[in-house]
Structure formats: structure tokens, C-alpha cells
Amino acid sequence: MKPALNIKSVNKKFDGTVALDDFSLEIPQNSITGIIGPNGAGKTTLFNVITGFLPLDSGKIIYNGKNLSRMPSYKIARAGIARTFQQLRLITRMTVLDNILLSFQNQAGEYLKNTFLFPGRVKKQERKNREKANELLAFMGIEEKAGDLVEDLSYGQQKMISLACCLASGADLLLLDEPVAGINPSMIEKILMVIKKLPEAGKTFVIIEHNIEAVMRVCDRVIFMDEGKKIAEGDPESVRHDPAVIEAYLE
Ligand SMILES: Nc1ncnc2c1ncn2[C@@H]1O[C@H](COP(=O)(O)OP(=O)(O)O)[C@@H](O)[C@H]1O
Ligand SMILES: [Mg+2]
């Protein structure tokens, strides 16, 4: 099967720092790939260049046959790639439901014009979106939180909502930056269960995560990176036993 995402020899420097060093990686369709590595390894930079938040210096990124390398980030989002952030970027003074509604794509552009010209169409679309948002929350087991303000939720619940917003975008490739770091075990379990169910619904995940146990449980494949390079790659068990990985995580 063709890879969903093909990253070819990508380089990215910040002044003197080499953040990505001739980095290549293929992400298969409907897979869950974990990316581990010490702080400063270049993991978040990888997400930043895939999503067009930062330009790459050289190399290519191909998504479903399209070259993303010079595309602006809004076009990359439209092509079907969404991400979460280490700092969650939710609108904390709004409800969970409204955060999800904001994440549905392609509403804003046509919205004002349609409000004047086709008010009935807008109402119908709003009703549909509400239904879709509630279905998504139910799928994730958090429907009872729909009307709560995000600021009143625990950090773990907020991480779940940021995953829900990422899914609400309708993207097929989801890049999650530390989806379970720093939250309690029962919430970790809930988030992993949601992620695990989604490849069969056509979703592909790349997950940066410090919680190695979580990565080992949910991922099909794991990449260990350091200093912008891929040091090890394989199934979770083989990467766990790679000497470079053992050294990095026992220190
Ligand atoms: N926007 C930026 N400006 C300057 N340096 C950056 C920037 N983003 C990342 N870096 C540097 O690039 C390296 C990789 O960072 P990052 O991708 O955030 O690592 P990780 O997510 O693996 O901890 C680090 O040395 C970091 O300081
Ligand atoms: Mg990071």
C-alpha cells in the first residue's frame, strides 16, 4: 500500500541548531506511529514542517501524492492534516460543544454570505453540525461535558477535548503532540481507547509522546529520534530493546 505520508530527506535549521537532519519517514495509511526521543530531538519541529507552520530548508513531504513542501498551512489543513499542540489552544471560556463546532472545517468562509442569502441553509447546517459534534462527544464517552466550560475541566479532560477538536476537523491524518503526557492513568486509558478505534475508520495517526508505556501499547510502529535524526524504527518491542533507546530512557 502507498504511504499516506512520505517525508523525504527533510532538513530544518534554526540559526546554529540542526532540528531535522536529513530526516526521512514513511507513514502507512491507517496506522498509528509513535515518535519518541529526548527534549530537543526535533519532534515538534517535524510536526511544524509537515503542517506548514514552519518552512523546511530542503527535502520533500508528500501526502496522498501531493507535495506539501511549499504549501501554506491552511491548504495543508484542507488537504486533510490536523494536529494538536503541547499547549492545548482551546478557547477555555467557551463550552466544549462550541470548541468542537469551531473546529468543523469550511464553515467560516461561506458563513456570512449564506447568513444573508440562505438563512435556512445556515440553520440546517448548524443543526447538522451540532448533531455531529454530539455524536463525536458520545463516541469519545464525554457527551455529558458538552455544555461545560473548558476552563472547568481537568487537564486530562481538556486533552480529550483537544483530540475531539482535531477529529472534528475531518482530517484523515492526525498529528498528536503529547496526547497523554501529564494526565492520570484512567484518562490515559480513555484517550488511548479512542485513538485505537480510529484507524479502522480511515484515520492515520502520528503521536509524539513521552509516556513510553502508552506509546508501546497504542502504536503499530515506533520511531526513536535524537538530534534531528531517526536513530531507531520498528515495532514497539524491537524499539524498546534498542540499545540507543535504553540508554536515552535509563539516563
Ligand atoms: N521556532 C524555533 N526557533 C528556534 N529554535 C527552535 C524553534 N523550534 C525548535 N527549535 C530548536 O530546535 C530543536 C528541536 O526542538 P523541538 O522540535 O521543539 O524538539 P522536541 O519537540 O523533540 O523537544 C531544539 O534545539 C529547539 O531549541
Ligand atoms: Mg516537543
Side-chain angles (χ1 to χ4, degrees), residues 154-165:
S154 71
Y155 182 56
Q157 287 164 336
Q158 291 188 4
K159 285 210 162 185
M160 184 70 116
I161 304 307
S162 90
L163 173 59
C165 289

Side-chain angles (χ1 to χ4, degrees), residues 14-15 17-19 37-46 48 54 86 177-178 208 210 225:
F14 299 103
D15 299 322
T17 310
V18 180
N39 274 332
K43 305 180 297 295
T44 298
T45 301
L46 180 65
N48 284 334
L54 289 173
Q86 274 171 281
D177 203 344
E178 307 201 353
I208 295 172
H210 276 119
M225 67 187 283

Side-chain angles (χ1 to χ4, degrees), residues 171-189:
D172 288 324
L173 176 63
L174 301 145
L175 311 177
L176 310 183
D177 203 344
E178 307 201 353
V180 300
I183 63 178
N184 71 50
S186 74
M187 203 63 203
I188 291 177
E189 199 60 35

Side-chain angles (χ1 to χ4, degrees), residues 7 10 12 14 18-21 23 25 33-51 54 83-84 86 175-179 181 206-212 215 222-230 248-249:
I7 299 164
V10 165
K12 177 71 190 172
F14 299 103
V18 180
L20 294 172
D21 186 358
F23 188 90
L25 177 63
T33 301
I35 301 198
I36 59 173
N39 274 332
K43 305 180 297 295
T44 298
T45 301
L46 180 65
F47 279 9
N48 284 334
V49 297
I50 295 171
T51 50
L54 289 173
R83 71 182 294 183
T84 64
Q86 274 171 281
L175 311 177
L176 310 183
D177 203 344
E178 307 201 353
V206 184
I207 301 178
I208 295 172
E209 184 51 65
H210 276 119
N211 181 327
I212 298 300
V215 168
V222 179
I223 315 299
F224 172 67
M225 67 187 283
D226 196 9
E227 298 182 346
K229 293 199 248 325
K230 190 164 73 183
Y249 282 87

